[in-house]
Amino acid sequence: MSLSTRDIDPAFQGVGQKAGIEIWRIENFKPVLVPSSSHGKFFTGDSYIILKTTALKSGALRYDVHYWLGKDTSQDEAGTAAIKTVEVDAALGGKAVQYREVQGHETEKFLSYFKPCIIPQEGGVASGFNHAEPEEYRTRLLVCRGKYTVQVKEVPFARSSLNHDDIFILDTESKIFQFSGSNSSIQERAKALQVVQYIKDTYHDGKCDIAMIEDGKLMADAESGEFWGFFGGFAPLPRKTSAQDDIKDFDSHSTRLLSVEKGQREIIEAETLTRDLLETNKCYLLDCGDEVFVWMGKGTSLDERKDASKAAEELVCDPDRIPKCHIVRTMEGSETAGFRSKFDSWPQTTSTAGPEEGRGKVAAMLRRQGVDVKGLVKSDPVIEEPLPYIDCTGDLQVWRVNGQEKILLPASDQSKFYSGDCYIFQYSYQGDDREECLIGTWFGKKSVEEERSSAVSQVTKMMESLKFMATQARIYEGNEPIQFFSIMQSFTIFKGGHSDAYKNHIAENELPDETYKEDSVALFRVQGTGPENMQSIQVEPVAASLNSSYCFILQQNEDSVFTWIGSLTKAEDQELLERQLDIIKPNAQSKVQKEGTELDQFWEMLGGKSEHPNQKIASTAGDPRLFCCAFSDGKLKVTEIYNFDQDDLMTEDIYIVDCQSEIYVWVGQQVKSDNKRQGLTIGENFLEHDFLMEKLSREAPVYVIMEGSEPGFFTRFFAWDSVKSAMHGNSFQRKLTIMKHGGTSNIDKPKRRVPISHAGRSSGPEKSQRSRSVSSSTERPRVRGRSPAFSALAANFEKTNTRNLSTPPPMVGKLYPRSSPTVTDSSPLASKSAAIAALTASFEKSTPSGGSRIPRSIKGSSEDLKLDPEDNTKTQEMDSIQEGTQEEEAEEEEGLEQYPYERLTTTSTDPVTDIDVSKREAYLSAAEFNEKFGMTKDAFRKLPKWKQDKLKMAVQLF
């Protein structure tokens, strides 16, 4: 399709050059740019065009164009907006996806641009309305609908407008009331609260009272009485009141494909829908009942695309159709997942040219007109070294799975895995404000299914013992995430295996035993980003396994090896080669082979020369997307949350953050117990169904994360506030608490520790740093320590014969105070009360004054650990302040009413109301407190908050 300046309105020249939102209003059938200060303000009598430009990790820009039609806009203006949207797409090289938005029935993607809501105002440019503010505040009644984004609509100010299904906001001059229908969900009520806050800030300058009204609450409540007074007094609503916008369902509408030629629609008769039905020189309509897609071939002209758009408008304006019907227009090559999913057969790739070709032609045309087109053409992707976002100086334990048991590996073998085996790892480390734990499974490519199931079962028991407060990971060989590699640091994968199941499998199937032997030929690919993240992967010993972008180790025998340096490698890659050589073959003589200068002996060992690749193994990491998940009729249902933030995570639901290369399953605290255990299953179902047709690997890493225990490698996707995730109550109660406090600053916020280095590198002179020399040895144990909190809690599931006694006491002091590891006895599995007692005992152990406050160094002497008099004085002052605080807390708790333990637990079926849920333990009697915690209340108050929380979790009072 050829373009000229006549094809594109001057208002659209140079659009979409950077990420953000651009809006035009149709005035006298011309698009007029709306200033950014007025974004989100819409008038019912107008039509608008909205362009959302999103910068992707790949360096490309994604475009979504919406045309919004107010309920009072004229047909001519609506038609102009539809046609002008096609021109915007043409200006962007045909890459944009276009959406029709009707007031009151907007898509969730559109509403996500203007959180928490849009409230269209009466009037419009065509009516000459001057949008003057009224002298007196007008009381109005608004209805809010939506769990993820909120549709807000003004309804008649009358009792008949209310119903049991929706949320209503009564906005008066001095007070805003939120009326929650009895059938509305907690999530809907929480979202409506954000609208209340928006109205308060926007229309009342943040100065008015807020009142919450429950459907069915009697007049005895003062605020309820005030609310019903606006409607002439209290009267119950009918038990079954239908919402005014209920319209006949079109789910049963059969999907049909229509071609459009010269504005005329013609049905395409076909038994099944396949990609082959779409011709590149035509436009088509895909009618799905409540949604109509317009597909425009790359060979069509701009006029043909406009004709197809008009045909779609005529189709949805039919009197028999629902008014909320959406139109989605897409160009060939830029089809949405929703469109492709309607076809029984859609190829992964097509022969059409990429979208950048069209954008390049548009850019060339605009350059000739003197328009700056910087940003219009695809920019080079920013290549950044991935960060693990995890402290790499924690405590590691690794078990190899053997049948229904797990065998603890010694420290020297913790990072040596075999492709035919399955492994379980537990990694405890210091987070920003608490100790965190990661428990996971690693499945080798040749491992047996029965051992994979056994590994998952054993990890589930470990998670249950930790009250699901740890992060769970499921990892397959070849798909390891950066967090895993950083934990293992120097990681090696050998061929073969040692488990009984693997040996039986190869014997029964008469397969060769490939298990690595030190005296036989073996080839290893060396990869990584540095000493804290390097791997050696054993590959087939053939020339085709080589890659010019990597270095390799070719083991000849027990005493001799070749090192092969690819022509595209850097000095850093060659340094990693030397380090890994010292680990795999520390005493062997090395013969260096640079690509292109190899000895004949080298090729003979690989079976002769052959072609090999030269590209690095590409990462499939994409831009994160958030989905809310639920099981319905045994099937997984997902809803995408657009332009998400932390406030979109509702404690009653389960969510998935999809990064393509890995997914994160977030489980809210208020999710039902049975569903909490389904986190890994939900993640695997998500990968299997690939809802967005992203070519997701079913072996992509899956993390399961419990609310309140979010690790840094998950919170990086949000502007994270740890206070919000630590709050109690349901979503509505939390948001109401934040609103009443005017933000989160007044809520009991946990103290945050000094930031730690996520890459294991020193974050300052105070933190000691493990270092490796080039000639490091596998016999040198990793410097690991073990927290007494995790040691005590883990005692519930660890067998006595698999204690990690091989892990030495920490040689390197931590940045934060840590108690010394405790050695447990070899008694049978401890009961829950015994675990709590052990945990309590470790807390009450005395430590030398100030001894735990200074990090120890490998090279430090005893002199380094001495406190000067000034530091000791400060310590005594802090202790004095802490004692004063404890006395104040004791006085406050004296007058509290006491309740039975069973009514105070977080899982109680008859919970106590109107208490401070952050201090459930304060309502226990002294005798019951001693029984549950194994100490007095005074002793409990002297513990650090994180230790208190550990104990409260163990007795279900946290």
Side-chain angles (χ1 to χ4, degrees):
M1 179 190 71
S2 60
L3 286 174
S4 69
T5 53
R6 296 193 309 271
D7 298 320
I8 301 174
D9 193 290
F12 303 139
Q13 291 186 2
V15 300
Q17 296 190 35
K18 61 181 180 179
I21 293 179
E22 298 170 79
I23 301 178
W24 297 266
R25 181 168 65 177
I26 303 302
E27 299 181 10
N28 296 321
F29 309 109
K30 294 288 185 182
V32 177
L33 187 67
V34 175
S36 58
S37 59
S38 296
H39 286 185
K41 296 180 181 178
F42 296 90
F43 293 92
T44 60
D46 290 333
S47 296
Y48 297 81
I49 297 174
I50 300 91
L51 168 61
K52 177 68 163 68
T53 304
T54 305
L56 305 178
K57 282 186 176 181
S58 63
L61 297 174
R62 184 182 68 220
Y63 300 107
D64 294 288
V65 186
H66 307 254
Y67 59 105
W68 184 88
L69 310 177
K71 65 182 180 65
D72 299 323
T73 191
S74 67
Q75 281 290 92
D76 291 338
E77 282 193 345
T80 300
I83 296 304
K84 291 297 180 181
T85 301
V86 179
E87 293 183 19
V88 174
D89 177 53
L92 298 170
K95 191 181 179 183
V97 179
Q98 307 160 50
Y99 305 85
R100 177 181 185 259
E101 310 285 351
V102 178
Q103 180 182 342
H105 304 288
E106 295 89 352
T107 61
E108 293 197 350
K109 173 175 278 191
F110 176 80
L111 291 174
S112 71
Y113 304 154
F114 309 102
K115 290 182 178 179
C117 66
I118 60 171
I119 304 179
Q121 303 177 42
E122 294 293 328
V125 65
S127 64
F129 186 70
N130 57 13
H131 314 307
E133 295 295 331
E135 295 181 3
E136 294 185 2
Y137 198 86
R138 182 175 66 88
T139 299
R140 55 183 177 168
L141 182 65
L142 305 168
V143 62
C144 300
R145 299 189 179 110
K147 177 180 175 181
Y148 310 111
T149 55
V150 186
Q151 297 269 5
V152 180
K153 177 183 178 182
E154 184 171 355
V155 295
F157 180 23
R159 184 200 310 278
S160 58
S161 296
L162 303 175
N163 63 61
H164 296 296
D165 301 316
D166 297 317
I167 315 292
F168 293 85
I169 295 175
L170 178 60
D171 180 20
T172 72
E173 184 174 7
S174 59
K175 184 178 284 189
I176 303 174
F177 299 84
Q178 176 173 320
F179 174 85
S180 301
S182 57
N183 296 331
S184 62
S185 68
I186 293 296
Q187 297 94 320
E188 290 173 320
R189 299 180 187 191
K191 282 295 181 183
L193 266 179
Q194 294 178 311
V195 178
V196 170
Q197 185 68 55
Y198 170 77
I199 293 174
K200 177 181 178 180
D201 295 339
T202 305
Y203 299 98
H204 297 268
D205 296 325
K207 300 174 182 178
C208 71
D209 295 328
I210 304 294
M212 298 295 115
I213 310 300
E214 291 289 334
D215 184 9
K217 206 164 189 180
L218 301 180
M219 289 283 289
D221 181 271
E223 289 183 333
S224 293
E226 185 180 358
F227 171 80
W228 288 109
F230 285 95
F231 298 93
F234 174 80
L237 299 177
R239 182 166 295 276
K240 184 67 176 177
T241 301
S242 61
Q244 291 87 336
D245 290 344
D246 283 350
I247 304 172
K248 62 183 179 179
D249 190 8
F250 261 70
D251 288 344
S252 60
H253 186 282
S254 60
T255 301
R256 54 179 184 161
L257 182 66
L258 305 92
S259 65
V260 180
E261 292 190 45
K262 297 181 179 180
Q264 300 300 311
R265 306 189 299 268
E266 181 180 347
I267 296 178
I268 304 295
E269 299 292 346
E271 294 184 1
T272 60
L273 293 179
T274 62
R275 171 64 178 82
D276 296 336
L277 295 173
L278 305 177
E279 299 179 22
T280 189
N281 61 344
K282 291 185 179 180
C283 293
Y284 296 85
L285 306 182
L286 184 63
D287 184 6
C288 304
D290 59 351
E291 190 171 37
V292 173
F293 292 93
V294 181
W295 186 88
M296 299 170 287
K298 284 188 171 294
T300 57
S301 67
L302 188 58
D303 288 337
E304 288 175 318
R305 298 175 191 178
K306 291 180 178 180
D307 288 342
S309 299
K310 290 178 182 178
E313 289 287 337
E314 294 172 357
L315 182 64
V316 300
C317 290
D318 189 294
D320 293 333
R321 298 187 72 92
I322 55 177
K324 66 178 181 180
C325 181
H326 294 132
I327 296 178
V328 180
R329 302 195 299 235
T330 181
M331 278 294 300
E332 180 182 3
S334 299
E335 296 87 355
T336 65
F339 177 80
R340 288 180 279 134
S341 67
K342 306 296 183 182
F343 289 76
D344 295 328
S345 174
W346 192 276
Q348 294 287 359
T349 58
T350 63
S351 58
T352 58
E356 296 305 322
E357 180 182 343
R359 297 180 67 206
K361 292 179 179 179
V362 174
M365 179 195 72
L366 295 178
R367 284 194 189 96
R368 290 194 297 269
Q369 303 299 320
V371 178
D372 182 9
V373 294
K374 181 181 180 181
L376 185 58
V377 293
K378 180 178 177 180
S379 58
D380 293 331
V382 179
I383 300 176
E384 298 178 351
E385 179 180 324
L387 297 176
Y389 294 94
I390 191 171
D391 178 16
C392 300
T393 60
D395 313 330
L396 176 67
Q397 287 183 294
V398 180
W399 297 264
R400 178 169 56 80
V401 177
N402 191 35
Q404 298 303 312
E405 297 180 348
K406 60 180 190 291
I407 301 172
L408 182 67
L409 299 182
S412 58
D413 292 337
Q414 286 181 341
S415 298
K416 298 178 180 179
F417 286 16
Y418 285 80
S419 191
D421 293 334
C422 294
Y423 296 83
I424 295 173
F425 62 91
Q426 177 176 327
Y427 183 67
S428 305
Y429 62 99
Q430 188 63 57
D432 286 346
D433 50 26
R434 64 181 178 274
E435 189 168 88
E436 298 178 355
C437 183
L438 175 63
I439 298 176
T441 55
W442 183 92
F443 301 147
K445 289 182 178 179
K446 299 294 182 67
S447 60
V448 181
E449 185 60 36
E450 64 185 76
E451 292 207 327
R452 295 182 182 184
S453 299
S454 173
V456 172
S457 176
Q458 294 187 63
V459 164
T460 300
K461 293 178 182 178
M462 296 169 72
M463 293 292 296
E464 289 175 348
S465 297
L466 292 177
K467 308 297 181 184
F468 292 96
M469 297 307 291
T471 296
Q472 182 179 354
R474 187 217 66 178
I475 299 171
Y476 280 89
E477 179 186 350
N479 290 275
E480 296 88 353
I482 182 65
Q483 291 82 18
F484 178 81
F485 281 150
S486 298
I487 290 170
M488 295 297 172
Q489 298 193 352
S490 176
F491 184 60
T492 305
I493 300 178
F494 296 103
K495 283 181 170 291
H498 294 289
S499 70
D500 294 339
Y502 173 76
K503 293 177 180 178
N504 292 337
H505 173 72
I506 61 174
E508 291 172 0
N509 294 276
E510 298 181 352
L511 300 173
D513 186 359
E514 299 179 325
T515 304
Y516 168 76
K517 296 180 178 61
E518 292 187 355
D519 57 355
S520 60
V521 174
L523 181 65
F524 296 87
R525 183 181 69 245
V526 177
Q527 60 188 41
T529 58
E532 303 290 340
N533 170 24
M534 54 183 183
Q535 303 88 44
S536 297
I537 314 298
Q538 186 177 357
V539 295
E540 289 295 323
V542 294
S545 297
L546 299 176
N547 187 314
S548 301
S549 295
Y550 294 92
C551 295
F552 288 77
I553 297 173
L554 178 59
Q555 173 181 296
Q556 185 176 10
N557 52 47
E558 193 169 356
D559 300 319
S560 178
V561 298
F562 287 96
T563 56
W564 186 83
I565 300 174
S567 60
L568 300 180
T569 59
K570 301 176 182 178
E572 294 84 355
D573 301 315
Q574 296 166 27
E575 180 183 352
L576 292 183
L577 174 66
E578 293 297 323
R579 290 177 179 271
Q580 288 297 91
L581 182 61
D582 283 346
I583 293 173
I584 296 176
K585 285 290 183 181
N587 301 316
Q589 294 182 350
S590 170
K591 302 173 185 177
V592 179
Q593 307 289 297
K594 291 186 178 181
E595 183 175 4
T597 62
E598 299 88 349
L599 298 175
D600 291 340
Q601 184 185 5
F602 175 83
W603 294 118
E604 288 173 3
M605 292 177 60
L606 295 178
K609 280 187 179 183
S610 71
E611 293 185 0
H612 57 260
N614 56 17
Q615 296 292 324
K616 281 222 172 195
I617 300 173
S619 171
T620 57
D623 296 271
R625 306 177 76 162
L626 181 67
F627 299 85
C628 185
C629 304
F631 275 112
S632 177
D633 299 328
K635 295 182 178 180
L636 181 64
K637 304 290 185 181
V638 299
T639 302
E640 184 168 5
I641 313 298
Y642 301 98
N643 298 292
F644 62 86
D645 56 32
Q646 185 182 354
D647 288 334
D648 289 312
L649 299 176
M650 297 287 188
T651 186
E652 297 80 14
D653 292 322
I654 297 176
Y655 294 82
I656 285 180
V657 175
D658 172 20
C659 301
Q660 293 187 327
S661 61
E662 57 196 19
I663 66 170
Y664 301 79
V665 183
W666 183 89
V667 183
Q669 287 285 1
Q670 299 287 329
V671 171
K672 294 180 180 178
S673 298
D674 292 343
N675 292 338
K676 283 184 179 180
R677 294 177 172 84
Q678 298 297 314
L680 184 58
T681 301
I682 289 175
E684 290 175 336
N685 267 270
F686 184 87
L687 292 175
E688 179 182 355
H689 288 92
D690 193 11
F691 294 95
L692 294 185
M693 304 174 74
E694 303 172 290
K695 306 179 188 176
L696 293 178
S697 168
R698 296 181 64 174
E699 296 185 352
V702 177
Y703 293 100
V704 181
I705 297 163
M706 184 63 64
E707 180 185 14
S709 301
E710 296 87 353
F713 54 85
F714 173 80
T715 59
R716 65 191 172 104
F717 300 118
F718 306 82
W720 195 259
D721 185 347
S722 60
V723 174
K724 292 180 179 179
S725 65
M727 293 179 71
H728 300 279
N730 60 41
S731 298
F732 174 75
Q733 293 168 336
R734 296 181 188 190
K735 283 187 167 54
L736 184 60
T737 300
I738 293 174
M739 180 182 293
K740 287 182 176 179
H741 285 84
T744 60
S745 58
N746 295 327
I747 301 173
D748 183 20
K749 183 172 182 177
K751 295 180 181 179
R752 296 188 67 83
R753 301 179 185 269
V754 180
I756 60 176
S757 171
H758 291 301
R761 298 178 176 85
S762 176
S763 59
E766 297 180 2
K767 183 168 182 175
S768 35
Q769 169 62 36
R770 292 177 296 117
S771 61
R772 290 185 176 88
S773 66
V774 173
S775 59
S776 59
S777 170
T778 56
E779 296 304 315
R780 183 184 298 127
R782 294 182 66 182
V783 180
R784 301 280 187 189
R786 190 170 182 188
S787 160
F790 276 97
S791 296
L793 289 177
N796 286 329
F797 57 77
E798 287 182 356
K799 294 186 178 180
T800 56
N801 62 351
T802 58
R803 288 287 181 198
N804 186 8
L805 302 180
S806 64
T807 302
M811 298 172 61
V812 180
K814 304 295 289 181
L815 182 61
Y816 311 119
R818 299 277 300 275
S819 301
S820 301
T822 57
V823 180
T824 56
D825 58 23
S826 57
S827 59
L829 293 178
S831 64
K832 177 172 149 184
S833 58
I836 295 172
L839 184 60
T840 303
S842 70
F843 293 160
E844 293 182 333
K845 287 182 180 179
S846 60
T847 56
S849 177
S852 63
R853 299 181 183 181
I854 297 181
R856 291 174 289 170
S857 172
I858 294 178
K859 298 181 180 180
S861 65
S862 59
E863 295 297 321
D864 297 329
L865 300 180
K866 293 182 180 179
L867 287 173
D868 61 30
E870 183 179 350
D871 287 340
N872 196 37
T873 302
K874 292 180 180 178
T875 301
Q876 293 174 358
E877 291 175 356
M878 292 300 295
D879 292 342
S880 176
I881 294 172
Q882 186 176 2
E883 289 174 5
T885 304
Q886 293 166 4
E887 291 175 1
E888 292 175 3
E889 290 179 355
E891 292 177 1
E892 291 176 359
E893 294 176 5
E894 275 186 8
L896 294 178
E897 187 174 351
Q898 295 179 353
Y899 297 96
Y901 167 76
E902 291 73 17
R903 297 193 63 196
L904 291 170
T905 64
T906 55
T907 58
S908 174
T909 56
D910 181 26
V912 181
T913 57
D914 299 327
I915 65 170
D916 184 350
V917 293
S918 65
K919 295 184 177 182
R920 297 175 186 269
E921 74 284 354
Y923 298 90
L924 287 172
S925 66
E928 202 161 18
F929 189 96
N930 289 344
E931 177 187 348
K932 298 299 179 185
F933 286 89
M935 66 174 71
T936 65
K937 289 189 176 182
D938 287 338
F940 180 81
R941 294 188 194 100
K942 293 177 182 179
L943 297 176
K945 188 176 184 307
W946 72 271
K947 294 183 179 179
Q948 293 178 359
D949 291 343
K950 289 285 184 183
L951 286 173
K952 287 159 66 175
M953 271 189 263
V955 295
Q956 299 180 341
L957 290 177
F958 183 76

